[in-house]
Amino acid sequence: MRLVVFDVDGTLVDSQGLILTAMDSAFAGAGLAPLPREQVLSIVGLSLPVAVAHLLPGALPDQQDRVVEGYKTAYAAARAAQAAPLYPGVAACLDRLAARDDLLLAVATGKSRRGLDAVIATHGWQGRFISLQTADGHPSKPHPSMLHAAMSDAGVGPADAVMIGDTSFDMQMAGNAGMAGFGVAWGYHTRDALIQTGAARIFDDFASLTQAIEEWSA
């Protein structure tokens, strides 16, 4: 068996609109000016408290906590109003891979379990993934804890697993776990950042990614 682990935000789901709206609201609620779009998107994939600490390195802990809590509230409200869309080709990719009896699918995301559950419910992915690893139970990416847990759930080793993600944190996490990392170019970090952090390959669409996964698992 082979294991394919997917990131969520920026890889399967284009949630940048929700993320930017929620972060602007959280900063405003803490009496802070909004940050540039590129700076906010640069921390996508990190666990929320770690992400906020990166954005506000000089802030006092209570101010960082206010931003964290404000973000959670604003994101939940924005998500309830309109779900983030899937990237083109996601559904076909997951359907094709799930139909194979030699592949297992998993998720490793900086989202909370509540946030991941909402995405799964929205898109009807219940039972699609053998392992669901979130920021609630692990250190932030790029620590390999989430990938270690996913491999344990699937009963495979690093040589039989691959991480699919859009950020340098995903590629670093894969390397730290001893597995390959496939980068996707449609997310929130640049192609150069993915290359510099160890991406084995980088893909421009889900059709080419799906083909590469099938070739890797053959």
Side-chain angles (χ1 to χ4, degrees):
M1 297 296 293
R2 295 286 186 97
L3 175 67
V4 184
V5 186
F6 287 94
D7 170 56
V8 177
D9 294 319
T11 301
L12 299 178
V13 177
D14 187 5
S15 49
Q16 64 177 300
L18 299 182
I19 292 168
L20 295 169
T21 296
M23 197 63 77
D24 283 352
S25 177
F27 269 59
L32 299 168
L35 295 178
R37 171 184 178 276
E38 293 76 13
Q39 188 173 355
V40 174
L41 294 180
S42 73
I43 52 80
V44 174
L46 296 174
S47 301
L48 182 56
V50 176
V52 171
H54 274 262
L55 295 176
L56 295 171
L60 295 174
D62 63 335
Q63 191 172 41
Q64 292 184 0
D65 290 344
R66 286 181 63 191
V67 172
V68 167
E69 294 306 314
Y71 180 91
K72 290 178 181 177
T73 300
Y75 192 95
R79 182 183 63 215
Q82 183 173 4
L86 298 179
Y87 285 103
V90 170
C93 173
L94 295 182
D95 287 347
R96 187 177 179 94
L97 297 181
R100 294 185 51 155
D101 58 10
D102 59 344
L103 285 180
L104 299 170
L105 307 183
V107 166
T109 176
K111 300 178 81 66
S112 67
R113 183 55 188 260
R114 182 177 69 171
L116 177 59
D117 286 346
V119 171
I120 288 173
T122 295
H123 299 292
W125 289 342
Q126 296 90 341
R128 177 59 56 91
F129 303 100
I130 192 173
S131 183
L132 299 172
Q133 304 302 324
T134 70
D136 290 348
H138 299 279
S140 178
K141 297 176 182 180
H143 193 284
S145 176
M146 285 193 280
L147 294 182
H148 288 159
M151 287 188 286
S152 177
D153 287 347
V156 305
D160 293 316
V162 63
M163 175 70 201
I164 313 297
D166 70 301
T167 71
S168 57
F169 311 125
D170 296 315
M171 299 303 101
Q172 289 170 327
M173 180 172 65
N176 290 340
M179 69 169 65
F182 285 178
V184 300
W186 53 80
Y188 305 147
H189 283 195
T190 65
R191 184 182 294 268
D192 284 345
L194 296 173
I195 293 172
Q196 291 168 7
T197 49
R201 296 179 64 180
I202 300 175
F203 301 91
D204 293 312
D205 54 59
F206 264 98
S208 58
L209 172 62
T210 304
Q211 180 178 351
I213 291 172
E214 292 182 325
E215 292 171 352
W216 165 80
S217 61

